[in-house]
Amino acid sequence: MGYLEGLFGVSGKTALVTGGGTGIGRMVATALAEGGARVFICSRKLDVVEKTANEINTNLMANNPKAAGSVEAFVGDVGTEEGVVALADAIREQSPNLDILVNNAGITWGEPLGSFPHFAWKRILDVNVTGLFHLTQTLLPELKESGRLEDPARVINLGSVMGSTPIGDGAYSYSASKAAVHHLTRILAKELAKEHITFNGFAPGPFQSNMTAFATDTDEKAAFVGKGVPLGRIGHPDDIAAATLFLCGKGGSYVTGEVIPLDGGIHVATGSNLFG
């Protein structure tokens, strides 16, 4: 095993990425498969995750035929209790262990403050917070079984820069839900460290995804959005991939309770210099 593979490789590990068919979930799944993991991805739309799994597996074989990683697709809806139980049962049928859980599935709603609807709170929190919590809770036996002192099981929760800075942009329930995800991540990191499970999060800024397609679905739009980011661009898939492999490989085995701001500096942007 080479030096870099020893620090950042995930060969032989089993992972579940919710919402893994598109956007950041797909970026995470690709990174883990490239790193050698067996990756389960799920979505409410089976055709979407099946297409993604086929594309990632085809690319793996074409570009890295010796790679041990693979991607398998499942239907999964974390927005209901029944959906969480069904997803956990489906994973258990395929694998007796789970080394990595990436709670990526999420939805949003945007509308002006004066007309923001009541139902848009329950649905967003059901998926983004309640589903995340209960799926983690349901899969704790598998994560505990995989966790070791020198090689803990890993959980990554997808937050957002909108959950760490006062940015609403009409997505009030989404922003609040992501702040809850950040805090839950820290709580679970504290409570489950003794079980050899790490809990960390990502707080991404703008990346190209279905959720941000209204603003980033063309190179021109993405460049325009990037001008508002302190580092001058939107995020790239490699930004997600590198952070994922860091947290899930040996290099991240001593990190827990952190929410990594993958946002190009947005979270520290406080306005213009006071004295010019």
Side-chain angles (χ1 to χ4, degrees):
M1 181 183 296
Y3 181 72
L4 292 180
E5 184 182 354
L7 286 177
F8 306 113
V10 289
S11 293
K13 294 193 174 185
T14 301
L16 169 61
V17 182
T18 65
T22 60
I24 290 176
R26 177 176 177 142
M27 299 173 200
V28 169
T30 301
L32 292 172
E34 289 279 2
R38 181 187 185 189
V39 185
F40 301 121
I41 60 174
C42 69
S43 167
R44 289 176 296 162
K45 299 177 181 179
L46 182 60
D47 59 324
V48 172
V49 284
E50 285 183 333
K51 180 174 183 290
T52 294
N54 288 335
E55 290 174 351
I56 295 175
N57 289 331
T58 298
N59 288 336
L60 280 172
M61 291 303 298
N63 301 325
N64 191 9
K66 294 183 179 180
S70 63
V71 181
E72 301 166 50
F74 293 85
V75 170
D77 180 7
V78 300
T80 67
E81 183 176 2
E82 296 78 14
V84 166
V85 172
L87 173 58
D89 287 344
I91 298 303
R92 287 169 180 146
E93 289 178 3
Q94 298 298 317
S95 175
N97 64 293
L98 184 67
D99 304 289
I100 300 165
L101 171 61
V102 182
N103 287 305
N104 169 78
I107 57 175
T108 189
W109 188 279
E111 199 159 328
L113 178 60
S115 58
F116 200 90
H118 188 278
F119 72 83
W121 282 87
K122 184 179 187 305
R123 179 57 181 159
I124 273 62
L125 268 74
D126 278 350
V127 174
N128 295 3
V129 183
T130 309
L132 176 152
F133 176 82
H134 282 286
L135 182 62
T136 304
Q137 178 191 58
T138 304
L139 292 172
L140 270 181
E142 285 72 25
L143 293 166
K144 288 180 179 179
E145 181 65 26
S146 295
R148 301 288 184 271
L149 178 65
E150 298 294 338
D151 187 17
R154 318 297 167 91
V155 178
I156 299 177
N157 295 325
L158 261 291
S160 170
V161 66
M162 297 178 75
S164 55
T165 61
I167 301 172
D169 284 351
Y172 299 102
S173 54
Y174 175 83
S175 296
S177 76
K178 294 304 183 178
V181 167
H182 296 179
H183 198 52
L184 262 178
T185 299
R186 299 181 184 105
I187 291 171
L188 294 174
K190 177 182 178 180
E191 293 185 354
L192 290 162
K194 61 182 179 296
E195 302 288 353
H196 309 311
I197 306 173
T198 68
F199 283 81
N200 294 289
F202 292 156
F207 282 77
Q208 285 186 315
S209 68
N210 288 350
M211 190 176 289
T212 65
F214 69 96
T216 66
D217 62 349
T218 68
D219 290 340
E220 291 76 16
K221 288 182 180 178
F224 178 79
V225 172
K227 290 179 181 178
V229 177
L231 287 180
R233 64 170 175 86
I234 68 168
H236 299 325
D238 283 349
D239 299 320
I240 295 293
T244 299
L245 292 176
F246 164 62
L247 286 181
C248 294
K250 182 175 176 58
S253 62
Y254 203 50
V255 179
T256 195
E258 289 300 313
V259 178
I260 298 176
L262 302 174
D263 64 8
I266 294 173
H267 72 291
V268 292
T270 56
S272 60
N273 293 335
L274 184 60
F275 299 110

Short mmCIF file of all heavy atoms in Angstrom, two decimals, residues 21 37 48 54 72-73 86 92 114 118 127 133 138 143-144 147 160 169 255 260-261 269 274:
data_model
loop_
_atom_site.label_atom_id
_atom_site.label_comp_id
_atom_site.label_asym_id
_atom_site.label_seq_id
_atom_site.Cartn_x
_atom_site.Cartn_y
_atom_site.Cartn_z
N GLY A 21 -27.46 10.05 -6.03
CA GLY A 21 -27.58 10.01 -7.48
C GLY A 21 -27.17 11.27 -8.19
O GLY A 21 -26.83 11.23 -9.38
N ALA A 37 -13.91 1.75 -2.02
CA ALA A 37 -15.02 1.29 -1.17
C ALA A 37 -16.14 0.66 -1.99
O ALA A 37 -16.32 0.95 -3.19
CB ALA A 37 -15.57 2.45 -0.36
N VAL A 48 -32.70 7.17 -11.29
CA VAL A 48 -31.63 8.15 -11.17
C VAL A 48 -30.37 7.52 -10.57
O VAL A 48 -29.27 7.68 -11.10
CB VAL A 48 -32.08 9.36 -10.31
CG1 VAL A 48 -30.90 10.30 -10.03
CG2 VAL A 48 -33.19 10.12 -11.03
N ASN A 54 -24.27 3.03 -12.73
CA ASN A 54 -23.72 2.48 -13.98
C ASN A 54 -22.63 3.38 -14.53
O ASN A 54 -21.59 2.89 -15.01
CB ASN A 54 -24.84 2.31 -15.02
CG ASN A 54 -25.78 1.17 -14.68
OD1 ASN A 54 -25.40 0.23 -13.99
ND2 ASN A 54 -27.01 1.25 -15.15
N GLU A 72 -23.57 0.52 -5.92
CA GLU A 72 -24.83 -0.21 -6.08
C GLU A 72 -25.98 0.71 -5.69
O GLU A 72 -25.86 1.50 -4.75
CB GLU A 72 -24.82 -1.46 -5.20
CG GLU A 72 -23.69 -2.42 -5.51
CD GLU A 72 -23.49 -3.47 -4.43
OE1 GLU A 72 -24.48 -4.11 -4.04
OE2 GLU A 72 -22.34 -3.63 -3.97
N ALA A 73 -27.10 0.60 -6.41
CA ALA A 73 -28.21 1.53 -6.26
C ALA A 73 -29.41 0.89 -5.57
O ALA A 73 -29.73 -0.28 -5.80
CB ALA A 73 -28.63 2.07 -7.62
N ALA A 86 -37.08 0.70 5.95
CA ALA A 86 -36.95 -0.09 4.72
C ALA A 86 -35.56 0.04 4.13
O ALA A 86 -34.98 -0.95 3.65
CB ALA A 86 -38.01 0.35 3.71
N ARG A 92 -28.88 -4.00 5.06
CA ARG A 92 -28.49 -5.17 5.84
C ARG A 92 -28.57 -6.46 5.03
O ARG A 92 -27.82 -7.40 5.27
CB ARG A 92 -29.38 -5.27 7.08
CG ARG A 92 -29.06 -4.22 8.13
CD ARG A 92 -30.10 -4.18 9.21
NE ARG A 92 -29.79 -3.18 10.22
CZ ARG A 92 -30.70 -2.47 10.87
NH1 ARG A 92 -32.01 -2.67 10.63
NH2 ARG A 92 -30.34 -1.56 11.77
N GLY A 114 -42.80 36.90 3.62
CA GLY A 114 -44.22 37.15 3.86
C GLY A 114 -45.15 36.06 3.39
O GLY A 114 -46.29 35.97 3.87
N HIS A 118 -46.46 27.23 5.67
CA HIS A 118 -46.32 26.40 6.87
C HIS A 118 -45.83 25.01 6.52
O HIS A 118 -44.93 24.46 7.19
CB HIS A 118 -47.67 26.33 7.59
CG HIS A 118 -47.61 25.67 8.94
ND1 HIS A 118 -47.63 24.29 9.11
CD2 HIS A 118 -47.54 26.20 10.18
CE1 HIS A 118 -47.57 24.02 10.39
NE2 HIS A 118 -47.52 25.14 11.07
N VAL A 127 -37.01 15.51 6.15
CA VAL A 127 -35.94 14.91 5.36
C VAL A 127 -34.57 15.31 5.90
O VAL A 127 -33.72 14.46 6.17
CB VAL A 127 -36.05 15.32 3.87
CG1 VAL A 127 -34.84 14.80 3.08
CG2 VAL A 127 -37.34 14.79 3.28
N PHE A 133 -31.33 11.94 11.42
CA PHE A 133 -31.17 11.43 12.79
C PHE A 133 -31.60 9.98 12.90
O PHE A 133 -30.89 9.13 13.44
CB PHE A 133 -31.95 12.29 13.77
CG PHE A 133 -31.91 11.78 15.19
CD1 PHE A 133 -30.82 12.07 16.00
CD2 PHE A 133 -32.93 11.00 15.70
CE1 PHE A 133 -30.76 11.59 17.31
CE2 PHE A 133 -32.88 10.51 17.00
CZ PHE A 133 -31.80 10.81 17.80
N THR A 138 -30.87 4.15 13.45
CA THR A 138 -31.22 2.79 13.03
C THR A 138 -29.99 1.98 12.65
O THR A 138 -29.94 0.76 12.87
CB THR A 138 -32.20 2.85 11.85
OG1 THR A 138 -33.35 3.62 12.22
CG2 THR A 138 -32.67 1.45 11.45
N LEU A 143 -22.65 0.46 12.59
CA LEU A 143 -21.53 1.38 12.74
C LEU A 143 -20.68 1.04 13.97
O LEU A 143 -19.45 1.06 13.91
CB LEU A 143 -22.05 2.82 12.84
CG LEU A 143 -22.69 3.38 11.57
CD1 LEU A 143 -23.46 4.67 11.89
CD2 LEU A 143 -21.64 3.65 10.50
N LYS A 144 -21.34 0.70 15.07
CA LYS A 144 -20.60 0.31 16.28
C LYS A 144 -19.78 -0.95 16.03
O LYS A 144 -18.65 -1.07 16.51
CB LYS A 144 -21.57 0.08 17.43
CG LYS A 144 -22.21 1.35 17.99
CD LYS A 144 -23.17 1.02 19.13
CE LYS A 144 -23.81 2.27 19.70
NZ LYS A 144 -24.75 1.95 20.80
N GLY A 147 -16.63 0.04 14.08
CA GLY A 147 -15.70 1.00 14.68
C GLY A 147 -14.58 0.34 15.47
O GLY A 147 -14.81 -0.60 16.23
N SER A 160 -24.63 23.03 5.44
CA SER A 160 -24.58 24.07 4.41
C SER A 160 -24.01 25.34 5.01
O SER A 160 -24.16 25.60 6.21
CB SER A 160 -25.98 24.36 3.86
OG SER A 160 -25.98 25.51 3.03
N ASP A 169 -31.84 33.94 1.84
CA ASP A 169 -32.18 33.90 0.41
C ASP A 169 -33.51 33.22 0.17
O ASP A 169 -33.70 32.51 -0.82
CB ASP A 169 -31.08 33.20 -0.38
CG ASP A 169 -29.85 34.08 -0.58
OD1 ASP A 169 -29.92 35.27 -0.25
OD2 ASP A 169 -28.82 33.56 -1.06
N VAL A 255 -10.35 12.94 13.91
CA VAL A 255 -11.15 14.16 13.76
C VAL A 255 -12.61 13.82 14.01
O VAL A 255 -13.17 12.94 13.36
CB VAL A 255 -11.01 14.77 12.35
CG1 VAL A 255 -11.88 16.03 12.22
CG2 VAL A 255 -9.55 15.08 12.04
N ILE A 260 -16.83 21.08 8.32
CA ILE A 260 -15.82 21.67 7.43
C ILE A 260 -16.49 22.61 6.44
O ILE A 260 -17.38 22.20 5.68
CB ILE A 260 -15.06 20.56 6.69
CG1 ILE A 260 -14.32 19.67 7.69
CG2 ILE A 260 -14.07 21.16 5.69
CD1 ILE A 260 -13.61 18.49 7.07
N PRO A 261 -16.08 23.88 6.41
CA PRO A 261 -16.70 24.86 5.52
C PRO A 261 -16.11 24.81 4.12
O PRO A 261 -15.10 25.44 3.82
CB PRO A 261 -16.38 26.19 6.21
CG PRO A 261 -15.09 25.95 6.92
CD PRO A 261 -15.08 24.49 7.31
N ALA A 269 -16.58 35.86 5.38
CA ALA A 269 -16.78 37.13 4.68
C ALA A 269 -17.72 38.00 5.49
O ALA A 269 -18.89 37.68 5.64
CB ALA A 269 -17.34 36.90 3.27
N LEU A 274 -13.53 47.91 7.29
CA LEU A 274 -14.15 49.03 7.99
C LEU A 274 -13.49 50.37 7.66
O LEU A 274 -14.16 51.38 7.49
CB LEU A 274 -14.08 48.77 9.51
CG LEU A 274 -14.76 49.79 10.41
CD1 LEU A 274 -16.26 49.87 10.09
CD2 LEU A 274 -14.54 49.44 11.87
#
